[in-house]
Amino acid sequence: MDALLNGILSSKHPDQLKKQLLHKIADKGAQPQAIKTIKSVFELTINWYLEIDNELASNEGLTILKSWAKHNLSTFEQFFDRDYLVGLLLKKCRRECNIPILVKECLHLLQRSAIFYSHLKVVEAMAINYVQQHPSMASIVNFISLLRTFKECIPKGDFTSKFCVALINGVALVGHPDGRVLEYIQGSELIFKFINALWNQADSRFILESLKAVFTLISDESIEMTFCLGAIVQHIPKEMIDIVVKYAVFESNIDDDIRTIAVRLAYLIHCCMYHHAGYPDLYDPVMEIIKDFPQPDPDEIQKKLAETRWTNQKAEIKIMLSRSHRGQRQEKQGYITLATHVL
């Protein structure tokens, strides 16, 4: 069967004819087959999906896999066991962004299987490591799609905070879009909406840890980040800002790093109120919350706003894509500008 499948794929027939032939093989999964043949088809079609830069091989490989697995479920359970799943989530391959999609499709097939819930636990346990080891926009977006489909796989407890930090670090390190700006913006928006949903179910300490990760990244001149990280500020829950600041002020056990974050947040809030000074009465509750933090003088605020202002869209894109040291500094100042306007 392997020789037949590879022969069809490598033939000089038109793609439409290849599809028809491959669909016929997909249908053969419903017929009795030797276990060795079935597992061989599983291996080959997964290899097509993960290793071959060919849409025909990728799409039809997944179709054949799903058909043969559906009609040979007990064999697929033996094949797609815990060790295979672990290896898949650790795998380095040509089309790594397809791994979460493959896992999602396989979990769909195994939903009525005895191994289904143990597989969910495996994905949950490996979620942080997966994001850390696959810092590409497509890989992270597809992995989040997997978690949204199977919510039981979302890391729980203290690991939720660590997972949020891993996602933030992953987005920061995905690299420059090289012409795919819209794709990256849409991807980062999806990721940060997901983080926001996790924040809304957690306490303020989780958000503090995430903000700590953000400020650590934008303060590190040695890291060349994607501009997409700036999108996170609009997803900080507004109702959590006062809680975060109060926590930093009154919690005696809080560490210096988190207190520093609270000070920087207070600084951003002062800049925001100065920049949008039309309704000062509305700021009284906020001023009460941050009254114990140092207040920058107006000249300092004016200087900071002048330094960080992005004058037009063309300049923004140029800054985003610049790989020079100066470009890095301007990007990071831009993130602070975004935070200022949101807060």
Side-chain angles (χ1 to χ4, degrees), residues 1-9 22 25 36-52 57-58 60-62 64-65 79 84 102:
M1 189 64 72
D2 285 14
L4 178 59
L5 285 167
N6 284 325
I8 294 172
L9 188 63
L22 292 173
I25 293 181
K36 183 178 179 180
T37 300
I38 296 170
K39 290 185 176 181
S40 178
V41 169
F42 292 161
E43 287 280 6
L44 180 64
T45 53
I46 287 175
N47 185 69
W48 281 10
Y49 192 63
L50 298 181
E51 296 289 0
I52 299 181
S58 177
E60 299 307 317
L62 186 59
I64 295 170
L65 172 68
F79 174 83
Y84 190 90
L102 177 62

Side-chain angles (χ1 to χ4, degrees), residues 191-204:
I191 293 168
F192 292 136
K193 280 184 177 179
F194 182 79
I195 292 176
N196 175 266
L198 297 182
W199 281 349
N200 287 334
Q201 300 172 24
D203 59 36
S204 56

Side-chain angles (χ1 to χ4, degrees), residues 184-220:
Y184 271 48
I185 291 175
Q186 291 173 338
S188 61
E189 181 70 8
L190 186 150
I191 293 168
F192 292 136
K193 280 184 177 179
F194 182 79
I195 292 176
N196 175 266
L198 297 182
W199 281 349
N200 287 334
Q201 300 172 24
D203 59 36
S204 56
R205 181 178 289 275
F206 281 16
I207 301 178
L208 282 170
E209 290 298 325
S210 295
L211 293 176
K212 179 180 177 181
V214 172
F215 283 114
T216 298
L217 287 166
I218 65 176
S219 301
D220 190 341

Side-chain angles (χ1 to χ4, degrees), residues 143-190:
F143 192 74
I144 285 178
S145 176
L146 165 62
L147 299 189
R148 290 167 71 104
T149 302
F150 297 102
K151 294 181 173 57
E152 301 93 332
C153 297
I154 298 174
K156 300 172 182 62
D158 290 341
F159 291 104
T160 304
S161 177
K162 294 178 181 179
F163 184 57
C164 288
V165 171
L167 289 173
I168 290 168
N169 289 334
V171 173
L173 301 175
V174 295
H176 291 276
D178 296 328
R180 296 176 293 161
V181 175
L182 182 59
E183 175 188 336
Y184 271 48
I185 291 175
Q186 291 173 338
S188 61
E189 181 70 8
L190 186 150

Side-chain angles (χ1 to χ4, degrees), residues 257-269:
D257 288 337
I258 295 179
R259 193 177 301 280
T260 299
I261 292 172
V263 172
R264 297 176 78 163
L265 278 173
Y267 182 87
L268 292 176
I269 292 170

Side-chain angles (χ1 to χ4, degrees), residues 216-243:
T216 298
L217 287 166
I218 65 176
S219 301
D220 190 341
E221 294 289 344
S222 68
I223 298 177
E224 184 177 3
M225 296 177 295
T226 173
F227 66 90
C228 295
L229 184 62
I232 194 173
V233 293
Q234 64 183 305
H235 294 289
I236 298 173
K238 293 180 175 61
E239 65 275 12
M240 292 299 297
I241 294 174
D242 59 337
I243 297 174

Side-chain angles (χ1 to χ4, degrees), residues 4-26 48 52 54-57 59-61 63-64:
L4 178 59
L5 285 167
N6 284 325
I8 294 172
L9 188 63
S10 62
S11 71
K12 296 183 180 180
H13 295 307
D15 281 356
Q16 189 58 40
L17 178 56
K18 291 182 182 180
K19 282 185 180 181
Q20 293 174 3
L21 295 172
L22 292 173
H23 283 176
K24 289 183 178 181
I25 293 181
W48 281 10
I52 299 181
N54 179 302
E55 289 303 315
L56 176 66
N59 295 337
E60 299 307 317
T63 298
I64 295 170

